[in-house]
Amino acid sequence: YEMQRSLVGSEMCIRDSTTILGRWYDTEFRYTDEALKELKFSGVALRFKPLDFVLHLLEQTCSVIFVPVENKTIRIDHK
């Protein structure tokens, strides 16, 4: 769930976390496979950390990779 300055996930799906991160960082996320949206992660991400740091944490807890494709757009793909 989203707190004022942190994203706390306990079996949170990637779709929900990227919706929150998109608002925080004014970024759009695109999925290469709709099934990726339902993958779960657990962890905490702090809002004041750089986006690449937060995405790296998500990559460590899920089977996804985040690939910047153009200004403020990130592709989500299988690892």
Side-chain angles (χ1 to χ4, degrees):
Y1 62 93
E2 179 182 10
M3 296 171 58
Q4 188 174 19
R5 294 179 184 237
S6 62
L7 173 67
V8 178
S10 176
E11 294 300 308
M12 176 184 259
C13 67
I14 291 293
R15 177 191 61 239
D16 294 340
S17 63
T18 56
T19 298
I20 293 166
L21 293 172
R23 281 196 305 263
W24 285 1
Y25 295 97
D26 189 27
T27 300
E28 180 182 346
F29 291 90
R30 294 185 184 159
Y31 295 84
T32 59
D33 181 350
E34 290 294 310
L36 292 168
K37 293 180 178 182
E38 302 307 318
L39 292 177
K40 307 285 187 198
F41 86 98
S42 296
V44 176
L46 301 175
R47 187 174 186 171
F48 61 84
K49 293 288 188 182
L51 179 57
D52 61 338
F53 177 84
V54 175
L55 297 179
H56 178 73
L57 291 177
L58 289 175
E59 287 178 342
Q60 300 306 307
T61 61
C62 292
S63 296
V64 298
I65 56 171
F66 296 92
V67 181
V69 291
E70 57 187 54
N71 193 29
K72 299 199 175 213
T73 302
I74 296 174
R75 185 180 75 228
I76 302 171
D77 205 346
H78 293 276
K79 240 184 209 176

